[in-house]
């Protein structure tokens, strides 16, 4: 046992010295090619074995013949190991260069194409991540293009919609100033109407800017969805009567929600006004609410005749107003964008789909946590 311990000690000293020299070499060459590092690792492995063998042979006083045999075997093993390490290093370097070339094209063109040749698992994983990043960047660029298009359309439409009432106000004010108005009271009423239109458009723009800037602060409180919908229906009842549209709200359950009452009332009002304006006379606008898979879903269904399938993804975009048949007389294409922004600020989702004779807008809001049970009343003290 003592001899084995001595042999292990001498072998450890010899191999440790070779390993220490290899560590120093790897540190000096750490900025060089991976092929050089692999060659150093292979040389260290063989040198450690040779150094340990020589140390044991010297301690055991082996013959020169036996020492020469051991040295020859170690040298051959070292040559084979170095050749294998260099071959492997060359393959890794080539794969790295191919990946660098693909990444360079990715940086210039924005599209990453993974090298077709097989690569080590780590490089293959890196290549897959770059491909996924390329897809995400492409989707992001597509969204940016769509948003930029929406912004251009919004600027054009807002400019047109602002110019029209401003021109009317100027003409009416000049007529009143020159005493050319046959019925000044009618002019005043019309001017008030145009000012209300302008005020509504400016309010929508301000609300949308708050949403896009992330400055929309919510004051959430627990309230009944039935009460929210009832207030919204009361607010649009006059508009529905003017358009000859029937409002139906019997399908609203008294579900609790945790929302900002003011902002959510604006959402429901925007949806109902949008539905009423696009529903022909004698048509029906129905609003309903239900609990579905841990969420509360509010739906508004109109009789607009449907939205073209290619326009459905753009319904909630800023400035979208669709076909002329769906363009309201005073709309700037902001109402539905505000709806989506407020609902998403509540961690919800806004969707639209076509149904028979019209379309349905659905708002999915997270269901509130169950209210804690009230504490039991303390027992009465004995008389």
């Amino acid at each position: 046992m003592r001899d084995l311990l001595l042999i292990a000690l001498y072998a450890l000293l010899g191999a440790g010295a070779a390993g220490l020299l290899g560590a120093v070499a790897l540190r000096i060459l750490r900025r060089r090619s991976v092929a050089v590092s692999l060659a150093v690792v292979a040389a260290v492995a063989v040198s450690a074995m040779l150094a340990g063998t020589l140390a044991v042979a010297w301690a055991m006083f082996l013959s020169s013949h036996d020492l020469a045999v051991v040295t020859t075997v170690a040298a051959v093993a070292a040559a084979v190991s170095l050749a294998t390490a260099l071959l492997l290093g060359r393959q890794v370097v080539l794969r790295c260069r191919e990946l660098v070339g693909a990444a360079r094209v990715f940086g210039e063109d924005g599209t990453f194409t993974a090298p077709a040749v097989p690569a080590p698992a780590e490089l293959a994983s890196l290549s897959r991540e770059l491909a996924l990043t390329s897809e995400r960047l492409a989707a992001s660029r597509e969204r940016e293009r769509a948003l930029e298009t929406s912004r251009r359309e919004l600027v054009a439409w807002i400019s047109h919609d602002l110019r029209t009432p401003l021109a009317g106000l100027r003409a009416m004010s000049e007529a009143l100033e020159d005493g050319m108005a046959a019925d000044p009271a009618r002019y005043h009423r019309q001017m008030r109407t145009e000012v209300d239109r302008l005020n509504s458009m400016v309010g929508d723009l301000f609300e949308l800017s708050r949403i896009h800037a992330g400055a929309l602060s919510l004051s959430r409180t627990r309230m009944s969805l039935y009460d929210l919908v009832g207030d919204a229906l009361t607010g649009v009842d006059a508009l529905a009567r003017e358009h000859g549209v029937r409002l139906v709200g019997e399908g609203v359950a008294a579900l609790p929600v945790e929302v900002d009452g003011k902002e959510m009332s604006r959402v429901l009002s925007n949806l109902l006004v949008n539905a009423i304006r696009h529903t022909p006379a004698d048509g029906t606008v129905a609003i309903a609410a239900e609990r579905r898979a841990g969420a509360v879903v509010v739906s508004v269904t109109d009789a607009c005749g449907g939205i073209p399938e290619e326009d459905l993804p753009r319904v909630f975009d800023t400035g979208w107003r669709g076909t002329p048949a769906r363009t309201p007389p005073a709309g700037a294409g902001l109402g539905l964008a505000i709806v989506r922004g407020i609902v998403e600020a509540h961690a919800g989702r806004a969707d639209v789909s076509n149904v028979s004779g019209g379309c349905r807008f659905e708002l999915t809001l997270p269901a509130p946590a169950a209210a804690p049970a009230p504490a039991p009343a303390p027992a009465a003290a004995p008389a």
Side-chain angles (χ1 to χ4, degrees), residues 142-210:
E142 187 63 30
R143 287 194 299 270
E144 286 296 327
R145 282 193 290 267
L147 287 175
E148 184 61 27
T149 301
S150 297
R151 291 190 188 99
R152 292 197 193 99
E153 293 174 352
L154 176 62
V155 170
W157 289 335
I158 287 293
S159 300
H160 176 269
D161 290 344
L162 287 176
R163 188 183 298 113
T164 301
L166 287 175
L169 287 171
R170 180 174 182 175
M172 287 184 285
S173 63
E174 289 177 351
L176 289 171
E177 183 180 3
D178 297 339
M180 302 297 295
D183 186 359
R186 184 173 66 85
Y187 274 61
H188 287 145
R189 289 193 298 271
Q190 185 62 29
M191 291 173 70
R192 175 61 182 270
T193 301
E194 296 298 336
V195 170
D196 288 342
R197 283 183 59 192
L198 290 172
N199 184 65
S200 176
M201 291 172 60
V202 171
D204 285 346
L205 283 171
F206 178 70
E207 183 76 5
L208 196 62
S209 67
R210 290 172 58 206

Side-chain angles (χ1 to χ4, degrees), residues 119-132:
E122 291 77 7
L123 295 181
S125 177
L126 177 59
S127 180
R128 287 192 296 269
E129 287 299 324
L130 288 174
L132 291 175

Side-chain angles (χ1 to χ4, degrees), residues 4-369:
L4 288 177
L5 291 176
L6 287 175
I7 290 173
L9 178 61
Y10 283 118
L12 178 61
L13 291 175
L20 183 61
L21 291 175
V24 173
L26 285 175
R27 180 170 180 79
I28 295 174
L29 301 173
R30 63 184 180 277
R31 298 184 184 277
R32 301 294 297 274
S33 172
V34 67
V36 176
S37 298
L38 288 174
V40 171
V41 170
V44 167
V46 177
S47 299
M49 181 188 69
L50 181 59
T53 302
L54 291 177
V56 172
W58 173 79
M60 296 177 64
F61 302 103
L62 292 181
S63 65
S64 58
H65 177 269
D66 293 340
L67 186 59
V69 171
V70 172
T71 305
T72 302
V73 172
V76 173
V80 174
S81 299
L82 286 174
T84 305
L86 290 174
L87 179 61
L88 176 60
R90 183 173 180 275
Q91 292 179 352
V92 172
V93 169
L94 290 177
R95 302 300 176 265
C96 288
R97 288 176 179 172
E98 292 171 353
L99 191 58
V100 168
R104 185 180 298 110
V105 174
F106 178 30
E108 295 173 352
D109 300 339
T111 302
F112 179 79
T113 302
V117 294
E122 291 77 7
L123 295 181
S125 177
L126 177 59
S127 180
R128 287 192 296 269
E129 287 299 324
L130 288 174
L132 291 175
T133 302
S134 175
E135 294 176 2
R136 287 193 290 267
L137 287 176
S140 177
R141 286 193 297 270
E142 187 63 30
R143 287 194 299 270
E144 286 296 327
R145 282 193 290 267
L147 287 175
E148 184 61 27
T149 301
S150 297
R151 291 190 188 99
R152 292 197 193 99
E153 293 174 352
L154 176 62
V155 170
W157 289 335
I158 287 293
S159 300
H160 176 269
D161 290 344
L162 287 176
R163 188 183 298 113
T164 301
L166 287 175
L169 287 171
R170 180 174 182 175
M172 287 184 285
S173 63
E174 289 177 351
L176 289 171
E177 183 180 3
D178 297 339
M180 302 297 295
D183 186 359
R186 184 173 66 85
Y187 274 61
H188 287 145
R189 289 193 298 271
Q190 185 62 29
M191 291 173 70
R192 175 61 182 270
T193 301
E194 296 298 336
V195 170
D196 288 342
R197 283 183 59 192
L198 290 172
N199 184 65
S200 176
M201 291 172 60
V202 171
D204 285 346
L205 283 171
F206 178 70
E207 183 76 5
L208 196 62
S209 67
R210 290 172 58 206
I211 292 172
H212 286 172
L216 182 64
S217 58
L218 301 177
S219 300
R220 299 173 187 251
T221 56
R222 182 182 287 259
M223 58 185 62
S224 171
L225 189 58
Y226 182 85
D227 295 335
L228 274 175
V229 172
D231 293 342
L233 288 174
T234 301
V236 300
D237 182 67
L239 181 64
R241 292 178 182 275
E242 179 184 347
H243 285 73
V245 174
R246 187 167 66 96
L247 295 176
V248 176
E250 290 83 3
V252 179
L255 299 172
V257 289
E258 288 185 358
V259 295
D260 185 307
K262 178 182 176 182
E263 298 295 342
M264 194 52 60
S265 294
R266 179 166 193 161
V267 166
L268 296 176
S269 176
N270 282 2
L271 286 180
L272 289 171
V273 169
N274 180 73
I276 291 170
R277 283 175 172 167
H278 299 113
T279 297
D282 297 330
T284 299
V285 171
I287 184 169
E290 60 178 335
R291 185 181 294 274
R292 186 188 304 168
V296 176
V297 180
V298 184
S299 64
V300 175
T301 306
D302 59 32
C304 67
I307 302 174
E309 292 294 331
E310 62 273 14
D311 286 342
L312 284 177
R314 295 199 58 203
V315 167
F316 294 101
D317 287 353
T318 301
W320 182 86
R321 297 199 289 189
T323 61
R326 289 193 55 85
T327 303
L334 304 180
L336 294 180
I338 292 173
V339 166
R340 181 176 64 177
I342 295 176
V343 171
E344 290 181 349
H346 284 83
R349 187 180 72 252
D351 301 293
V352 61
S353 60
N354 285 323
V355 295
S356 178
C359 59
R360 174 181 292 125
F361 290 84
E362 288 189 349
L363 309 179
T364 304
L365 299 171

